[in-house]
Amino acid sequence: MDGKSDTEARTPSVVRPTPEGERKKAERQQNEEAAQNQDAQHAERATGSSSPAGSSDDEPRTERRRVNREGTDTNAGPMKNKTDVQGSVAGSTWVALSVGIALLVLLLIFIIQNMESVTLTVFFWTVSFPAGVGFLLAAIIGAVIMLSVGSVRMFQLRRQIHQQRK
């Protein structure tokens, strides 16, 4: 023998990584690259070298999330920044209501400005009403048609989901 013991002769000199070890190493490298990219972006924002168009310095800055090796958020827990507040259904409803009221006001102005009488003849019916009201009725009829088409499609999709669950 070469002066090596039996155990040294049987032990391979190169230890090959397992697929699981390779996967963990790749994930670690990806996490490190992502952290470096975030650090570079954070440094750019701090120096102001690449600020997006329309941004101002008086806008609140959001806190950068730190992620550990397992990919979980280390900032989890109570809110650390006021910009972490999420929207709510009440807020969305308020915005939709505000937009709806503004559209109603515009619609009323349109109807009042178009008070000329118009005659509509369909087959054997003849109806006379203001032009603004006629446009409003046409819009309502179009919306009802689109609503019915959309509801039929939603009904079909729900039926498919229900059948797939069985």
Side-chain angles (χ1 to χ4, degrees), residues 50-85:
S50 67
S51 62
S55 66
S56 64
D57 289 315
D58 49 326
E59 291 179 357
R61 297 202 187 271
T62 58
E63 182 178 329
R64 195 179 103 227
R65 293 287 185 190
R66 298 190 185 275
V67 179
N68 61 15
R69 287 185 178 169
E70 290 76 31
T72 58
D73 190 354
T74 58
N75 291 344
M79 282 191 335
K80 300 197 184 306
N81 194 344
K82 290 184 179 182
T83 58
D84 287 346
V85 176

Side-chain angles (χ1 to χ4, degrees), residues 37-51 61:
N37 289 339
Q38 287 178 350
D39 289 340
Q41 290 173 355
H42 184 65
E44 285 177 1
R45 275 190 236 125
T47 60
S49 62
S50 67
S51 62
R61 297 202 187 271

Side-chain angles (χ1 to χ4, degrees), residues 2 21 29 32 46 50 70 84 86 96 136 142 156 161 163 166:
D2 302 338
Q29 287 176 347
E32 288 172 1
S50 67
E70 290 76 31
D84 287 346
Q86 295 180 355
L136 176 64
Q156 289 173 343
I161 290 171
Q163 288 174 353
K166 284 184 176 184

Side-chain angles (χ1 to χ4, degrees), residues 85-89 91-92:
V85 176
Q86 295 180 355
S88 67
V89 175
S92 300

Side-chain angles (χ1 to χ4, degrees), residues 101-159:
I101 289 172
L103 288 175
L104 271 177
V105 168
L106 291 174
L107 184 65
L108 283 174
I109 292 170
F110 174 77
I111 290 173
I112 290 171
Q113 287 181 344
N114 292 292
M115 291 299 287
E116 249 179 62
S117 185
V118 176
T119 303
L120 175 68
T121 304
V122 178
F123 299 117
F124 53 89
W125 292 302
T126 302
V127 182
S128 185
F129 47 81
V133 174
F135 290 135
L136 176 64
L137 289 174
I140 290 173
I141 291 170
V144 168
I145 291 171
M146 292 306 296
L147 180 70
S148 62
V149 170
S151 61
V152 167
R153 181 64 182 147
M154 285 191 299
F155 177 73
Q156 289 173 343
L157 291 173
R158 285 184 184 181
R159 189 173 53 188

